Amino acid sequence: QVQLVESGGGLVQSGGSLRLSCAASGRAFSSYAMGWFRQGPGKEREFVAGISYNGAVTNYADSVKDRFTISRDNAKNTVYLQMNSLKPEDTAVYYCAAAPTLSRNLAWYKYWGQGTQVTVSS
């Protein structure tokens, strides 16, 4: 099993940047694909970015492509989401999650963090 804890959220102005981190406690972290999801006010949780177990493959939602970068450091049991050029529409609770294989499907992710709030002001 994997336990995940997100950090790095906060309040930022439009155009600013934040780097989210997700620390994993499980020894099998390097076996899991990892994803970031978000849930904005009044919206369903949606896929943001994903990365394969070894970091070789990534994919992104169209809304964040070219602005966000997902990465991982398996030696540190940590996955990151670098968010640049933030927009008010990015305001949401951001969650990291672990899955057996890389997927955009929320239901495929087996372990979830508690979430971290990102608020982008106009």
Side-chain angles (χ1 to χ4, degrees), residues 18-87:
L18 284 173
R19 190 193 197 197
L20 305 184
S21 298
C22 176
S25 63
R27 293 174 58 185
F29 171 77
S30 62
S31 298
Y32 289 92
M34 298 294 296
W36 286 96
F37 295 78
R38 67 186 182 187
Q39 188 165 16
K43 298 180 179 180
E44 296 184 350
R45 193 170 300 185
E46 65 177 357
F47 173 81
V48 176
I51 188 167
S52 62
Y53 74 98
N54 60 358
V57 181
T58 60
N59 57 64
Y60 299 90
D62 288 343
S63 59
V64 307
K65 191 173 296 183
D66 300 324
R67 298 189 298 121
F68 291 9
T69 302
I70 188 171
S71 62
R72 69 190 297 162
D73 186 341
N74 285 349
K76 297 181 179 179
N77 280 13
T78 303
V79 62
Y80 305 95
L81 185 68
Q82 179 66 47
M83 305 186 295
N84 298 326
S85 301
L86 282 162
K87 306 173 181 179

